[in-house]
Amino acid sequence: MSWTIGEKLKITVFGQSHSEAIGVVIDGFPSGVTVNVDKLESFMKRRAPGQAFSTPRKEADKVEFLSGLNVDGKTCGSPIVAIIRNTNVQSKDYDNIKLLPRPSHSDLVSLLKFGEGRDIRGGGQFSGRLTAPLCIAGALCLDLLESKGVKIGAHIYSVGNSFDLPYDKVDEIIPNNQVDFPAIDKNQSAKMQEEILSVMKEGDSIGASIECKIVGVPATIGEPMFDGIENCLAKAMFGIPAVKGFEVGAGFDVCKKKGSENNDELTVKEGKITTVTNNDGGINGGITNGMPITFRVAIKPTPSIAKAQQSVNVESMEEETLEIRGRHDPCIAVRAVPVVEAVSAIVFANLLI
């Protein structure tokens, strides 16, 4: 099923952008785990709309658990079902795109695949709103992994031509749960925010990248060939709408390097064999080597922009000018940072529980 990820821990997402509610079913989560509601709400706020550099659509994203918890708020072994009610929808904003598909959106392919049965409102089941249920599951998995010594953190690595410090320049994961704009270097953070403000004034949007770091994963996790750690992460990350690229460690920069520059030489530290550098991002042959796992995802510019664009009327088959209404993010990556953390947690919870 395309809406389900995981084998030991199955995560199934459901709903549409403007449906009554969106939600998630979590099957296989261990029993006896207390759900920290305050921590969950704090995590959800990082992804929620209505913040700086995001769509003006305001949703509380309050999580309601329908099953899976006992009276003490602990997981009971039954499938966990949680929903978020959609309360601030403006479906009329999408009336003009029934015949005029938005460029670089799912409008055209959803029409071709599902016909008139499709849900056009807010992008339907293709909307980034469906990442909210992923964050519910991810938040629970983050807590579970933390109890096993595994920590996950992400930050905005680049916006346009402005770049943050890479994670290999800092020792620890930077906690960003209280940061509106999750970046490591304050000066670079200001430059990246300036890039977003500039395109906002133009009625445009801009692309960005997110870097994630995972520490505490022991060596030997993963399998060769098609079940490698890179494979698991890449498949999951491409389930996040707007992700268009994925790279591990030094990523595409390895194309510019010699082997002598890229190879992670071995050393002994505190009685363990480790590497001097981490260009391989903590993974060799699809298997973890004990070093921090680092990767980046590329996030495309929000396709819904205020500027007029060319489309085709699907009835007349003639080109027309489309002006998009609605409420949209000038840079999707700002709210996608916790989503990357959540999906990473789902992947490693499956590998480690």
Side-chain angles (χ1 to χ4, degrees):
M1 290 176 61
S2 65
W3 303 103
T4 301
I5 183 173
E7 295 179 3
K8 297 176 185 175
L9 182 66
K10 292 184 185 294
I11 310 293
T12 301
V13 173
F14 61 87
Q16 302 104 254
S17 180
H18 288 199
S19 58
E20 193 69 25
I22 51 178
V24 63
V25 179
I26 307 168
D27 192 5
F29 199 87
S31 63
V33 178
T34 300
V35 174
N36 187 324
V37 176
D38 291 338
K39 198 171 180 180
L40 173 60
E41 287 182 355
S42 177
F43 188 75
M44 297 300 295
K45 284 179 181 177
R46 291 173 55 202
R47 194 225 67 94
Q51 304 179 58
F53 305 120
S54 77
T55 167
R57 176 178 178 176
K58 293 188 181 297
E59 293 280 5
D61 279 1
K62 185 171 179 57
V63 179
E64 297 178 35
F65 288 96
L66 304 184
S67 69
L69 304 184
N70 65 18
V71 292
D72 298 319
K74 292 185 177 182
T75 57
C76 65
S78 173
I80 299 168
V81 179
I83 64 168
I84 296 170
R85 298 188 187 277
N86 289 324
T87 59
N88 187 8
V89 298
Q90 294 182 11
S91 300
K92 65 180 187 307
D93 286 338
Y94 298 88
D95 290 344
N96 68 325
I97 63 172
K98 289 179 180 177
L99 299 180
L100 295 176
R102 295 168 294 177
S104 290
H105 263 283
S106 60
D107 300 345
L108 178 59
V109 294
S110 65
L111 175 63
L112 296 174
K113 188 171 182 69
F114 301 117
E116 294 304 319
R118 65 181 175 151
D119 186 355
I120 197 72
R121 305 166 301 165
Q125 66 265 44
F126 296 94
S127 171
R129 180 121 183 88
L130 272 295
T131 59
L134 275 177
C135 282
I136 298 173
L140 299 186
C141 291
L142 281 166
D143 266 1
L144 186 64
L145 290 171
E146 199 166 313
S147 70
K148 297 179 178 294
V150 177
K151 294 183 179 180
I152 299 174
H155 69 113
I156 297 176
Y157 178 63
S158 70
V159 174
N161 294 311
S162 298
F163 288 80
D164 192 15
L165 274 175
Y167 252 142
D168 64 5
K169 299 293 184 185
V170 292
D171 293 330
E172 294 295 327
I173 289 174
I174 306 300
N176 52 36
N177 58 318
Q178 302 298 325
V179 180
D180 290 333
F181 193 88
I184 297 171
D185 185 274
K186 290 183 179 179
N187 291 328
Q188 293 305 111
S189 174
K191 290 180 181 179
M192 291 190 284
Q193 291 180 64
E194 285 173 10
E195 292 238 24
I196 299 174
L197 287 170
S198 177
V199 298
M200 281 179 70
K201 292 174 182 176
E202 299 169 3
D204 216 331
S205 62
I206 194 165
S209 66
I210 296 170
E211 184 180 43
C212 187
K213 184 176 183 179
I214 306 169
V215 297
V217 177
T220 74
I221 304 300
E223 303 294 336
M225 197 66 77
F226 299 118
D227 285 327
I229 297 301
E230 299 106 318
N231 308 57
C232 297
L233 282 169
K235 180 180 180 181
M237 290 300 149
F238 280 111
I240 302 172
V243 169
K244 301 301 287 184
F246 176 81
E247 58 179 358
V248 176
F252 281 95
D253 278 348
V254 300
C255 305
K256 311 169 191 173
K257 296 184 178 185
K258 298 175 183 177
S260 56
E261 298 169 320
N262 187 67
N263 289 348
D264 294 323
E265 294 183 329
L266 302 178
T267 187
V268 176
K269 189 174 182 180
E270 297 177 357
K272 291 184 179 181
I273 298 176
T274 184
T275 61
V276 178
T277 54
N278 194 24
N279 291 313
D280 288 323
I283 305 166
N284 297 117
I287 300 169
T288 59
N289 62 19
M291 288 290 284
I293 296 164
T294 59
F295 65 89
R296 286 169 296 281
V297 292
I299 308 289
K300 74 176 184 179
T302 313
S304 290
I305 57 177
K307 291 188 172 185
Q309 301 176 83
Q310 180 180 298
S311 183
V312 171
N313 187 305
V314 295
E315 282 190 350
S316 68
M317 296 300 286
E318 294 180 350
E319 294 173 0
E320 290 187 23
T321 298
L322 172 64
E323 293 188 3
I324 297 174
R325 298 192 292 266
R327 302 158 293 175
H328 310 284
D329 297 68
C331 181
I332 303 171
V334 178
R335 292 168 56 216
V337 170
V339 183
V340 170
E341 294 173 5
V343 172
S344 301
I346 290 169
V347 169
F348 277 93
N350 261 286
L351 292 165
L352 296 174
I353 65 168

